[in-house]
Amino acid sequence: MEIIPTKKIVNRDGIKAVKNGQKMNEFSHIPNLKKPSWLRVRAEFNPNFHKVKNQVNEKRLNTVCEEAHCPNISECWSAGTATFMLMGSVCTRACKFCSVDTGNPKGWLDNDEPMNTARAVQTMGLKYVVLTSVNRDDLPDGGAQHFANTVKLIKEFNPKTAVEALTPDFKGLKSSINTLVNCGLEVFAQNIETVERLTHQVRDIRAGYQQTLDVLAESKKINPNVLTKTSIIVGLGETDSEIEETMDDLIKHNVDILTIGQYLRPTHCGITLGAFWLQQLDFWAVGGYPPSTAVDDSG
Ligand code: SF4
């Protein structure tokens, strides 16, 4: 893991932020656990990787692949897939597992981004696109309309492309959820991230376990044709029974798809509470969601 010192930056859009989201904290002096061999990935770069990188740079797009220091970036980009991160690279929140820069963009938005993203999807010939974004608590609608505009333009230029939107929680604002689930997307996702007991330790204080469940249930209520999806990160100190309780809660709130991913500490300021757990996946799959809906999503 690359050790990145905490520092303040001004990004390419002129927004001030804390680099990698976290200041030095009580976890900073704790060394990393040694990664088991099954978690190690070999970086491979083929011409597709450079094609994706060129599109991202040329159109000034952001990807969660880069901002989250995802270890699978070479594999995904070489296969021609990328997860676009809308509304800039600075998040108003600071979850302790996340390495996205934190700051206040004060209403800034790139109005060309919806069109640039739609054109990039077209050039890359993507059949399935995942859009995500930073949290934008500084915008009255949390950025819902900008998100929806992007989905609509992707559909206009790429009518056969399916779109999954992993959105902020919009502080539970029903009008924003409505804007998103009625914009033509196939999958609406909001991540619960962890079990109820660890939520305030792991996520930003403005996020909430019940708030995420309510957002997912509300989206299903508004538009039952859109699939709902969420993710849990394991390796943060949760127990098996807590994972099962979370699965029960998700089922009760009509969540269609669950992915489970192994936490990999992104920088030396990231939270470190647990261990490597993914070998438990079969147990959780049998105990909660059917195996086809609980998917290995490590990285
Ligand atoms: S809200 Fe999302 S992008 Fe922002 S700090 Fe939390 S996980 Fe990272």
Side-chain angles (χ1 to χ4, degrees):
M1 181 189 76
E2 189 188 357
I3 301 294
I4 303 165
T6 304
K7 58 179 181 183
K8 291 192 178 164
I9 54 144
V10 178
N11 78 1
R12 70 179 182 199
D13 306 309
I15 297 163
K16 291 181 193 159
V18 172
K19 180 85 183 144
N20 302 128
Q22 298 293 321
K23 297 179 179 160
M24 296 290 280
N25 56 48
E26 71 269 30
F27 301 108
S28 305
H29 66 281
I30 301 174
N32 286 333
L33 293 169
K34 192 170 180 305
K35 276 189 201 146
S37 56
W38 54 266
L39 255 184
R40 295 185 177 276
V41 288
R42 222 184 144 76
E44 283 173 30
F45 304 94
N46 69 16
N48 259 342
F49 178 92
H50 298 289
K51 191 174 160 191
V52 173
K53 192 164 183 54
N54 288 343
Q55 278 298 303
V56 167
N57 291 342
E58 204 179 283
K59 299 201 162 61
R60 293 172 64 86
L61 304 174
N62 294 298
T63 64
V64 77
C65 324
E66 290 174 299
E67 300 301 327
H69 301 266
C70 180
N72 297 331
I73 187 169
S74 65
E75 190 185 335
C76 291
W77 286 25
S78 295
T81 64
T83 300
F84 296 108
M85 195 168 82
L86 304 178
M87 299 191 281
S89 60
V90 174
C91 185
T92 46
R93 299 193 183 177
C95 300
K96 293 188 188 67
F97 60 86
C98 179
S99 62
V100 171
D101 302 342
T102 295
N104 183 354
K106 298 181 182 167
W108 173 89
L109 275 176
D110 174 4
N111 292 323
D112 295 330
E113 184 176 61
M115 180 61 85
N116 283 338
T117 307
R119 290 292 191 195
V121 169
Q122 192 176 33
T123 307
M124 290 156 76
L126 302 180
K127 297 282 169 280
Y128 193 98
V129 178
V130 182
L131 302 175
T132 184
S133 78
V134 289
N135 247 278
R136 290 295 303 271
D137 297 305
D138 57 312
L139 298 170
D141 71 345
Q145 193 58 57
H146 184 89
F147 220 125
N149 292 346
T150 309
V151 175
K152 283 179 191 163
L153 281 170
I154 289 174
K155 290 287 184 183
E156 192 178 321
F157 289 102
N158 313 270
K160 292 192 177 151
T161 300
V163 180
E164 173 178 330
L166 170 57
T167 76
D169 61 18
F170 303 119
K171 298 182 195 161
L173 207 63
K174 289 185 184 174
S175 55
S176 290
I177 301 167
N178 188 63
T179 300
L180 246 297
V181 295
N182 285 324
C183 73
L185 79 180
E186 275 75 16
V187 181
F188 175 87
Q190 219 291 298
N191 282 349
I192 197 140
E193 313 289 10
T194 189
V195 299
E196 187 169 18
R197 176 179 60 87
L198 293 174
T199 293
H200 286 312
Q201 262 177 287
V202 168
R203 299 175 74 185
D204 184 277
I205 199 73
R206 286 160 287 184
Y209 181 85
Q210 189 59 48
Q211 179 154 281
T212 291
L213 290 174
D214 291 344
V215 166
L216 288 161
E218 180 68 18
S219 69
K220 196 61 166 177
K221 198 167 117 193
I222 295 171
N223 190 344
N225 296 323
V226 172
L227 289 168
T228 48
K229 179 178 175 184
T230 198
S231 291
I232 303 173
I233 310 166
V234 292
L236 289 165
E238 66 290 322
T239 65
D240 287 344
S241 60
E242 286 174 320
I243 291 277
E244 287 177 293
E245 279 161 27
T246 307
M247 287 175 164
D248 285 345
D249 287 339
L250 293 168
I251 290 168
K252 278 183 209 146
H253 288 76
N254 298 319
V255 180
D256 298 308
I257 304 167
L258 167 66
T259 65
I260 298 178
Q262 168 67 52
Y263 176 58
L264 296 177
R265 197 183 184 200
T267 73
H268 69 302
C269 293
I271 195 166
T272 174
L273 294 171
F276 299 116
W277 279 118
L278 213 55
Q279 60 270 43
Q280 286 284 71
L281 183 68
D282 290 346
F283 170 78
W284 289 322
V286 171
Y289 274 68
S292 61
T293 53
V295 181
D296 170 356
D297 189 25
S298 60

